[in-house]
Amino acid sequence: LTNYFVGRAQHGLGRRASIGFLGTAVVRDLETPSLDGLLPDRAFVGGVDGHVFLDGKRDWVVSGGLSGSTASGSQAAVLRLQRAAQRYYQRPDAPHVSVDPAATSLSGWSGRVGLNRNSGNVTFNAGLWGISPGFESNDLGFATQTDRGGAHGQVLFRKLTPDAWTRSRKISVAKWWTFNYGSECQGDGVQVAAGAQLRNYWQLDLTLGKSWNTWDDKLTRGGPTTIRPGISSLGLVATSDARRPVWVNASAQLSNREFGGRSRQYSATLNLRPWTALTLSATPTYLRSHTIAQYLATVPDVTAAATFGSRYVFGGLDQTEVSIPLRFNLVLSPKLSLQLYTQALLSTGDYPSIRELAAPRTYAFPVYGVDVGTIDRDPDGLRYVIDPDGAGDARPFRIPVPDFNFKSLRVNAVLRWEFRPGSAAYVVWTQRRQDGKNLDDHAFGRDLGDLFSAPADDVFMVKLAWWLGK
């Protein structure tokens, strides 16, 4: 038995300010032992947010918010929260957090404050934010990380009046930092973006990014800190005149990481609007990436003294992905519309090398069978047998072969009928197909055929919304 509560209040303070409050509460009656060790029985979040315009023209504005959380339950449930992916209190070299097996509650806070200039040819945005390690809102909210704080600043220069070549143009420069609560830098980068709309209504955009090597306290999934490789990135986007019945968008996203990682993503969107009531679009996307160190497993080993008694196993990953989303929007009348969305995804990954972290605060990953130890496959081909130090004292261990060949198809169709003002009926059909065969053999045509022949899960839903007023 569980009670969920959400309350939100917001009040305007004249034309230049507002204040808001938010509260959530989850109260559970956990009588089943397996649930008692899995979920908190009490979880509360409360917060305040608001903004103030600093001038009568409402050009400059300060905005922000502050919230706090507390979650309580059994020792097992709170231990699970401490070891969760957004915290990793078990990190052996983190000076500011540690696991408390006897704890029955967890508390924290999050906050942000920002300064914006909203109008004019030069606009400005800056902010400070922080999420303490113990903040927990996921019982009735969404928080993917904690133990982070940072700052950013951005200046945008724009000119909205036409000249001989363009109708408008802009350029922005941004700088950002991220730290954990141990005062260790987790991100440090800059970004420059420029865009222009040409006289023929084509839009061109360019983005350049650069980040530098910092620390990464999450790569080992609760293990020691490593280096986070710096990234150099380039983004290009070209969009034709969107007023036309047929218009296209093409983009390329390229990035190179320190130590050899790289990514290349290309996409194109074809949009058709044969008449006002019908819109069709297709966005095929191709991704090719090479990752030096993709986390695979943590293996306890008392002989691994350099990495605090565990071996952190990674793989070099070569990934290829093709995605083909399709959209269909048809307005049959002012009261009746049909929307259809499908996405086919083919994603393959090969791990040509399996390796381990050599030492904390490095990005050194010696390869099994080449630099250290030995590696072989089980007779069934499904697992690797790894001896991390060959003839040394370490015991061999096994991990599943991580190669993948994932195929997925998603279909979502929605028929909406507004049978009276404010009241509508919806008929929804969703279908899901997926397949993971042929891990070591990738063939686009065959894999696409396997996708459409894979077993399907179908769900039909009907929703009715009735407006009670006149």
Side-chain angles (χ1 to χ4, degrees):
L1 183 65
T2 303
N3 177 73
Y4 296 95
F5 169 82
V6 178
R8 169 66 169 166
Q10 192 170 21
H11 180 63
L13 305 174
R15 293 184 63 254
R16 293 176 55 173
S18 74
I19 189 169
F21 302 91
L22 175 70
T24 71
V26 177
V27 180
R28 298 183 174 99
D29 183 10
L30 299 174
E31 297 182 354
T32 305
S34 60
L35 294 179
D36 183 63
L38 184 66
L39 298 170
D41 56 21
R42 300 288 187 274
F44 304 100
V45 176
V48 58
D49 67 297
H51 71 268
V52 176
F53 287 100
L54 302 180
D55 60 321
K57 296 181 179 180
R58 301 202 297 179
D59 189 10
W60 290 88
V61 60
V62 176
S63 61
L66 182 65
S67 60
S69 73
T70 181
S72 60
S74 68
Q75 292 182 1
V78 175
L79 179 62
R80 183 173 179 270
L81 292 178
Q82 294 180 77
R83 300 177 64 89
Q86 62 266 34
R87 280 176 204 89
Y88 291 135
Y89 275 16
Q90 68 270 34
R91 285 171 278 162
D93 58 348
H96 58 293
V97 293
S98 60
V99 171
D100 181 2
T104 56
S105 65
L106 187 70
S107 300
W109 64 272
S110 69
R112 59 179 175 83
V113 61
L115 173 65
N116 283 65
R117 186 188 184 195
N118 297 320
S119 61
N121 287 333
V122 180
T123 64
F124 175 79
N125 169 263
L128 292 170
W129 61 276
I131 307 175
S132 76
F135 185 77
E136 173 59 32
S137 63
N138 286 308
D139 288 277
L140 198 53
F142 188 70
T144 59
Q145 69 172 357
T146 65
D147 193 11
R148 288 291 186 268
H152 73 270
Q154 181 186 51
V155 180
L156 170 66
F157 304 90
R158 61 184 180 179
K159 191 172 182 181
L160 304 179
T161 56
D163 60 16
W165 299 96
T166 66
R167 294 184 176 275
S168 63
R169 46 259 174 236
K170 61 184 178 181
I171 184 170
S172 65
V173 180
K175 172 65 181 174
W176 53 271
W177 300 267
T178 305
F179 293 84
N180 66 15
Y181 274 64
S183 301
E184 295 179 331
C185 187
Q186 304 288 307
D188 179 11
V190 297
Q191 179 177 284
V192 178
Q197 186 182 60
L198 307 182
R199 292 298 295 262
N200 61 359
Y201 289 95
W202 279 59
Q203 178 75 33
L204 303 176
D205 294 284
L206 167 69
T207 303
L208 299 172
K210 173 65 177 177
S211 64
W212 289 271
N213 291 350
T214 58
W215 299 121
D216 188 342
D217 62 7
K218 300 292 181 69
L219 183 66
T220 55
R221 311 301 196 268
T225 294
T226 67
I227 291 175
R228 183 191 303 274
I231 305 174
S232 299
S233 62
L234 167 67
L236 297 169
V237 182
T239 307
S240 68
D241 185 354
R243 304 173 304 162
R244 304 293 184 182
V246 179
W247 57 282
V248 297
N249 171 282
S251 67
Q253 304 292 329
L254 316 176
S255 66
N256 290 325
R257 287 179 175 266
E258 298 286 341
F259 305 100
R262 59 188 177 275
S263 174
R264 306 287 185 267
Q265 178 174 295
Y266 307 95
S267 67
T269 301
L270 174 63
N271 298 275
L272 303 176
R273 193 167 47 236
W275 62 88
T276 304
L278 177 63
T279 303
L280 305 169
S281 68
T283 310
T285 301
Y286 175 80
L287 169 67
R288 178 70 174 162
S289 66
H290 174 66
T291 303
I292 297 296
Q294 174 63 48
Y295 174 83
L296 296 177
T298 298
V299 179
D301 186 343
V302 295
T303 69
T307 49
F308 303 99
S310 291
R311 297 189 183 274
Y312 297 92
V313 183
F314 290 78
L317 170 61
D318 292 320
Q319 183 174 2
T320 302
E321 186 172 289
V322 177
S323 174
I324 311 174
L326 304 173
R327 296 181 184 273
F328 172 95
N329 293 323
L330 176 62
V331 180
L332 298 169
S333 75
K335 296 183 178 181
L336 186 63
S337 64
L338 175 65
Q339 296 176 317
L340 176 67
Y341 174 78
T342 70
Q343 183 183 39
L345 173 69
L346 305 178
S347 183
T348 62
D350 292 317
Y351 287 82
S353 61
I354 307 298
R355 50 189 68 187
E356 69 174 33
L357 177 66
R361 301 184 182 273
T362 69
Y363 204 75
F365 297 90
V367 177
Y368 292 127
V370 177
D371 303 313
V372 294
T374 62
I375 183 170
D376 296 290
R377 276 202 180 192
D378 270 343
D380 60 9
L382 300 178
R383 290 179 175 272
Y384 283 120
V385 181
I386 299 172
D387 188 336
D389 62 353
D393 296 332
R395 299 180 61 182
F397 60 89
R398 286 174 167 80
I399 64 168
V401 173
D403 298 346
F404 59 88
N405 185 353
F406 180 76
K407 287 87 73 177
S408 169
L409 178 65
R410 300 288 187 269
V411 180
N412 187 37
V414 180
L415 180 67
R416 180 184 182 276
W417 174 39
E418 187 176 1
F419 55 88
R420 54 173 289 184
S423 301
Y426 303 83
V427 179
V428 181
W429 167 54
T430 65
Q431 184 184 91
R432 179 183 66 178
R433 298 174 184 264
Q434 65 184 47
D435 178 82
K437 296 184 296 186
N438 303 307
L439 298 182
D440 298 325
D441 182 20
H442 309 149
F444 180 82
R446 183 207 59 214
D447 291 344
L448 189 62
D450 289 345
L451 172 59
F452 285 99
S453 62
D457 293 330
D458 293 276
V459 177
F460 292 90
M461 295 176 287
V462 177
K463 175 183 176 181
L464 181 65
W466 192 281
W467 182 259
L468 299 177
K470 293 182 179 181

